[in-house]
């Protein structure tokens, strides 16, 4: 695998049709190195989520190019995008856990996307990761019986459990207190170091900025600042 | 259960977990599936009992061929009469060994204060036992005494218990058509859709009871053939003997099958049953759809974002559909059994569960629930992972 995980070049994006057509991204160019932690910042409506979903194969790329793990997404078909997603991990603003499944089962789902396997082994992997995230005591809890922060940590475990190449996260720490928010981001960073996992994260949380390798700022659909930190 | 299903499916039984997570909703869905099953079973049971009650009187006969007038010949009981001459003409054929006429008519039996039953009378020759079911041969002889009858113990709307011991030594009196009759034996036929019971009497008693009827015009003619003669061939050859379109010649099996088909497809009752089955299926599909399309859109969108393909969602929905069908079927079956027993007890109609019907309805239930699942799939396919952020 190359040193570059994501290459975005000349990316435009529009929403809507006809008179309602609105441009959300203008000529975005970006290169994200493997194993790095990149933070997207910017005011509300600046296009952070739009960019994240385009890079994460959740939307079709209509104009410009996104290369993800050496796969061009412009004019890619649905199946290619679905298969690409299996190599990615998503952490949403809302935890989006399945409320009929226990914490362990929610995490196991992250493994089962890769096909049939031994459910017992899936369970062990899920338990291990949940333990790491401080939820060792809550394995068999349904989401309804977990606090907001605990749910978000389950969602983080679900995204990490299958060793994704890239993690996309949209305000993952919003529901977490200061300590566990920092701990979660530190975990992304450690994973990046240990496994070469790339993380792209949207956040407004100034405490986290210091941990980032790079901070990209968007405004009105344009990249206005791209700062590499050391 | 979860562990078992996990091993079976090779993944978490998400459908099962989704269903059991909301026990109230699950119970309502199962009750709905069971209810739809009962609807279908009741209609099929009634249709089956109609077919059965159509067939029962035919089973009294065991001749090789049955001749009727072509007019109104769809049913046994409403057949027009035909000239007895046709019987004598048939006897000329070398393979026809014997024949006998049957006379049919109906009368109302005022059996109690308010109760009345429509009785179908079969006037037969007492010495023609060879044309009837073996068990009838001996009792038929007793009909040689005038004004005697073999009464139907399964007659609807009448308490027939006092007739149970009827015999020629101890005839049980009753009155019909302003005649004093004596029951000298019993048969068990029961009411169908053409009447409430069948009484057998001699041809002579028949003419006294129904003076407008003549021995020259029977309702049916039964023919016995020489051993080994092919009924189909003989029927074709006999048809040549008669003026065109004056008779309809069939084996008893053909006549039975044709009347069953006629009752099922051309009479309102048969169509009502078919309609009822359709209603039951629609009710089942709608109820299952309600549950299967329940709001899991966000969860499904999340699974889509994770890279699950459409087949995974189809799998979950079918898992739910099959669980609903496979569990909901049993209470449906149990209630239907109860219904069949009660109805058979109250009305004496031959309604009972057959294994074929139970299996067919189970398979139908699974198919109907799967159809609901596929319909629900269309709604859930709208789940859009990009909207999750
Ligand atoms: N599905 C959509 N349909 C139409 N317009 C959209 C859609 N999603 C986003 N937009 C528009 O695109 C622009 C960028 O939105 P986006 O959600 O990417 O912003 P954001 O930077 O993530 O904002 P926030 O910080 O509030 O989450 C906004 O003007 C928004 O109104
Ligand atoms: Mg956003």
């Amino acid at each position: 695998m190359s040193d570059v995980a994501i290459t975005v070049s000349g990316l435009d994006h529009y929403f809507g049709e006809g008179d309602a057509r609105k441009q959300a991204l203008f000529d975005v160019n970006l290169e994200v190195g493997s194993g790095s932690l990149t933070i997207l910042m910017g005011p509300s409506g600046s296009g952070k989520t739009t960019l994240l979903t385009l890079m994460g194969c959740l939307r079709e790329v209509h104009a410009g190019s996104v290369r993800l793990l050496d796969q061009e997404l412009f004019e890619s078909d649905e199946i290619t995008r679905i298969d690409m997603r299996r190599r990615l991990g998503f952490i949403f603003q809302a935890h989006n856990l399945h409320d009929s499944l226990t914490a362990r089962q929610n995490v196991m789902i992250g493994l089962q996307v890769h096909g049939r396997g031994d459910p017992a082994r899936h369970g062990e992997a899920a338990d291990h990761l949940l333990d790491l995230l401080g939820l060792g005591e809550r394995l068999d809890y349904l989401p309804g019986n977990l606090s907001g922060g605990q749910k978000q940590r389950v969602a983080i475990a679900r995204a990490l459990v299958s060793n994704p190449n890239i993690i996309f996260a949209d305000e993952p720490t919003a529901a977490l207190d200061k300590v566990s928010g920092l701990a979660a981001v530190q975990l992304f960073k450690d994973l990046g170091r240990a496994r070469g996992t790339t993380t792209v994260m949207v956040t407004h949380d100034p405490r986290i900025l210091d941990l980032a390798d790079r901070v990209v700022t968007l405004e009105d659909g344009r990249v206005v600042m791209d700062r590499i930190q050391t | 259960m979860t562990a078992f299903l996990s091993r079976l499916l090779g993944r978490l039984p998400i459908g099962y977990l989704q269903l059991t997570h909301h026990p109230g909703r699950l119970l309502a869905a199962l009750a709905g599936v069971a209810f739809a099953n009962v609807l279908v079973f009741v209609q099929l049971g009634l249709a089956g009992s109609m077919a059965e009650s159509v067939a029962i009187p035919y089973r009294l006969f065991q001749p090789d061929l049955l001749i009727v007038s072509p007019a109104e010949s769809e049913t046994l009981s409403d057949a027009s009469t035909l000239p007895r001459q046709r019987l004598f003409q048939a006897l000329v054929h070398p393979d026809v060994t014997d024949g006998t006429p049957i006379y049919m008519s109906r009368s109302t039996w005022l059996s109690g204060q308010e109760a009345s039953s429509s009785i179908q009378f079969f006037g037969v020759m007492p010495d023609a036992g060879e044309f009837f079911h073996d068990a009838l041969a001996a009792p038929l002889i007793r009909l040689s005494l005038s004004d005697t009858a073999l009464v139907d113990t399964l007659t609807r709307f009448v308490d027939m218990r006092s007739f149970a011991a009827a015999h020629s030594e101890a005839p049980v009196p009753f009155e019909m058509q302003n005649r004093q009759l004596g029951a000298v034996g019993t048969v068990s036929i029961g009411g169908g859709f053409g009447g409430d019971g069948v009484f057998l009497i001699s041809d002579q008693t028949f003419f006294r009871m129904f003076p407008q009827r003549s021995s020259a015009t029977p309702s049916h003619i039964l023919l016995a053939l020489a051993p080994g003669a092919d009924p189909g061939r003989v029927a074709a050859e006999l048809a040549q003997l008669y003026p065109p379109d004056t008779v309809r010649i069939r084996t008893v099996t053909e006549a039975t099958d044709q009347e069953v088909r006629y009752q099922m497809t051309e009479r309102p009752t048969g169509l009502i049953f078919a309609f009822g089955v359709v209603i039951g299926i629609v009710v089942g599909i709608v109820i299952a759809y309600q549950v299967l399309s329940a709001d899991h859109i966000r969860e499904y969108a999340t699974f889509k974002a994770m890279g699950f393909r459409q087949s995974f969602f189809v799998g979950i929905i079918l898992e739910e559909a099959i669980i609903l069908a496979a569990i909901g079927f049993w209470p449906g079956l149990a209630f239907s059994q109860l219904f069949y027993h009660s109805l058979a007890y109250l009305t004496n109609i031959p309604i009972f569960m057959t294994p074929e019907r139970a299996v067919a309805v189970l398979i139908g239930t699974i198919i109907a629930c799967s159809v609901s699942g596929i319909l629900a799939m269309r709604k859930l396919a709208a789940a859009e992972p990009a909207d999750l952020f």
Side-chain angles (χ1 to χ4, degrees):
Chain A
M1 186 174 300
S2 62
D3 293 344
V4 180
I6 311 170
T7 312
V8 179
S9 42
L11 180 66
D12 292 339
H13 196 78
Y14 300 87
F15 286 110
E17 298 285 327
D19 287 346
R21 189 165 143 114
K22 179 169 182 294
Q23 188 161 3
L25 291 179
F26 298 82
D27 189 29
V28 174
N29 295 281
L30 195 65
E31 209 172 68
V32 177
S34 284
S36 67
L37 170 57
T38 301
I39 285 180
L40 295 181
M41 286 192 26
S44 182
S46 58
K48 305 181 294 292
T49 299
T50 307
L51 179 57
L52 203 68
T53 51
L54 282 164
M55 293 191 294
C57 306
L58 297 176
R59 278 186 204 289
E60 258 180 273
V61 176
H62 297 303
S65 156
V66 176
R67 282 189 78 77
L68 189 73
L69 304 169
D70 296 327
Q71 169 70 46
E72 175 59 57
L73 298 183
F74 177 64
E75 295 193 324
S76 62
D77 58 18
E78 174 81 8
I79 296 292
T80 308
R81 272 181 279 130
I82 290 176
D83 287 348
M84 281 303 289
R85 285 182 213 151
R86 297 186 183 182
R87 304 170 62 186
L88 313 176
F90 293 99
I91 302 162
F92 308 95
Q93 209 161 347
H95 54 82
N96 287 332
L97 296 180
H98 196 307
D99 59 6
S100 312
L101 308 184
T102 62
R104 173 195 285 124
Q105 290 167 337
N106 266 290
V107 176
M108 286 167 75
I109 292 290
L111 286 170
Q112 299 192 341
V113 71
H114 297 286
R116 291 176 76 101
D118 178 4
R121 286 251 298 284
H122 289 168
E124 281 168 26
D127 291 356
H128 175 73
L129 196 52
L130 284 167
D131 198 32
L132 219 62
L133 284 159
L135 290 168
E137 311 281 290
R138 299 281 189 275
L139 300 175
D140 292 314
Y141 281 48
L142 290 170
N145 299 326
L146 295 173
S147 71
Q150 289 169 334
K151 281 188 272 209
Q152 191 59 311
R153 279 182 277 159
V154 176
I156 291 171
R158 179 179 63 187
L160 297 182
V161 71
S162 61
N163 286 337
N165 297 115
I166 309 176
I167 294 167
F168 292 103
D170 202 344
E171 309 216 27
T173 57
L176 300 181
D177 60 57
K178 185 175 169 168
V179 177
S180 41
L182 281 176
V185 177
Q186 190 63 52
L187 185 67
F188 297 149
K189 217 175 146 65
D190 294 345
L191 277 173
R193 210 162 284 146
R195 302 175 180 169
T197 310
T198 309
T199 303
V200 180
M201 188 190 304
V202 173
T203 187
H204 294 291
D205 192 338
R207 298 165 299 177
I208 293 170
L209 293 183
D210 300 337
L211 294 172
D213 298 310
R214 178 169 180 193
V215 179
V216 176
T217 309
L218 289 176
E219 238 167 71
D220 294 331
R222 292 183 172 83
V223 176
V224 293
M225 202 195 320
D226 188 350
R227 190 180 66 208
I228 297 182
Q229 311 191 131
T230 43
Chain B
M1 193 65 191
T2 306
F4 167 74
L5 287 174
S6 291
R7 202 151 309 135
L8 190 72
L9 297 167
R11 61 163 169 80
L12 282 172
I14 295 170
Y16 167 78
L17 293 168
Q18 258 170 208
L19 285 176
T20 50
H21 187 64
H22 304 283
R25 193 195 285 172
L26 176 61
L27 272 178
L30 291 177
V33 170
F35 174 68
N37 266 312
V38 171
L39 279 183
V40 170
F41 269 127
V42 166
Q43 302 302 326
L44 290 180
L46 290 174
S49 93
M50 182 168 82
E52 179 66 15
S53 57
V54 164
I56 286 176
Y58 283 99
R59 288 195 202 125
L60 295 176
F61 311 137
Q62 51 176 2
D64 296 304
L65 289 174
L66 196 69
I67 303 182
V68 290
S69 150
E72 313 287 338
S73 61
E74 288 87 355
T75 68
L76 183 69
S77 54
D78 295 329
S80 311
T81 57
L82 76 173
R84 190 172 43 175
Q85 197 61 26
R86 305 288 175 237
L87 170 58
F88 304 138
Q89 286 168 306
L91 290 173
V92 171
H93 190 287
D95 282 336
V96 176
T97 53
D98 203 357
T100 192
I102 295 192
Y103 304 86
M104 292 186 187
S105 192
R106 239 189 283 257
S107 180
T108 303
W109 188 15
L110 299 169
S111 45
Q113 303 295 70
E114 314 236 304
S116 73
S117 300
S118 167
I119 303 298
Q120 183 89 46
F121 280 93
F122 288 8
V124 303
M125 297 167 80
D127 59 355
E130 58 167 311
F131 291 96
F132 294 90
H133 194 277
D134 293 336
L136 278 178
L140 277 182
I141 305 276
R142 298 182 211 145
L143 296 180
S144 317
L145 280 155
S146 63
D147 292 337
T148 55
L150 302 180
V151 299
D152 189 348
T153 50
L154 296 180
T155 304
R156 268 195 297 240
F157 314 126
V158 192
D159 182 358
M160 295 297 292
R161 274 174 298 186
S162 55
F163 291 91
H167 197 268
S168 40
E169 272 90 68
V172 181
F174 65 103
E175 197 187 286
M176 275 187 82
Q177 294 280 99
N178 294 319
R179 288 194 79 81
Q180 200 62 41
L181 297 171
V184 292
T186 58
V187 290
S188 299
I189 299 169
F193 290 75
D196 300 317
V198 175
F199 287 13
L200 271 64
I201 53 180
S202 72
D203 50 345
Q204 296 311 314
T205 306
F206 185 89
F207 303 132
R208 276 193 293 273
M209 279 184 72
F210 303 100
Q212 74 282 14
R213 290 290 296 270
S214 134
S215 64
T217 54
S219 307
H220 296 266
I221 292 167
L222 309 184
L223 297 182
L225 303 185
D230 170 24
R233 177 181 56 80
V234 177
E237 288 169 7
L238 284 176
Q240 300 293 318
L241 293 177
Y242 298 119
D245 299 326
T246 49
V247 292
R248 195 165 172 197
I249 311 172
R250 295 172 295 178
T251 63
V252 175
T253 322
E254 281 167 356
T256 314
D257 293 348
Q258 285 170 12
E259 179 169 348
V260 168
R261 203 171 317 134
Y262 168 77
Q263 299 279 10
M264 290 297 185
T265 59
E266 290 181 39
R267 294 294 294 273
T269 34
L271 295 177
I272 285 169
F273 297 145
F275 185 66
V277 169
V278 171
I279 295 281
I281 292 171
V282 169
V283 166
I285 287 179
V286 168
I287 291 172
Y289 176 82
Q290 293 298 333
V291 173
L292 297 179
S293 67
D295 192 22
H296 291 297
I297 296 253
R298 277 194 86 76
E299 284 97 333
Y300 288 11
T302 309
F303 290 156
K304 264 192 184 173
M306 293 167 76
F308 284 103
R309 292 201 179 175
Q310 190 74 2
S311 57
F312 172 76
F313 303 105
V314 173
I316 293 179
I317 293 271
L318 288 185
E319 177 191 333
E320 290 190 304
I322 290 169
I323 289 172
L324 281 186
I327 301 180
F329 171 77
W330 298 104
L333 181 69
F335 275 110
S336 305
Q337 284 276 29
L338 196 67
F339 180 85
Y340 285 180
H341 283 305
S342 319
L343 201 65
Y345 177 76
L346 292 174
T347 65
N348 272 344
I349 68 169
I351 186 166
F352 45 83
M353 188 65 72
T354 63
E356 295 82 7
R357 186 183 304 149
V359 170
V361 171
L362 175 58
I363 293 172
T365 307
I366 291 173
I367 293 175
C369 285
S370 304
V371 168
S372 309
I374 288 159
L375 294 175
M377 209 51 242
R378 293 160 53 96
K379 182 173 162 191
L380 297 173
E384 183 48 71
D387 296 340
L388 290 171
F389 282 113

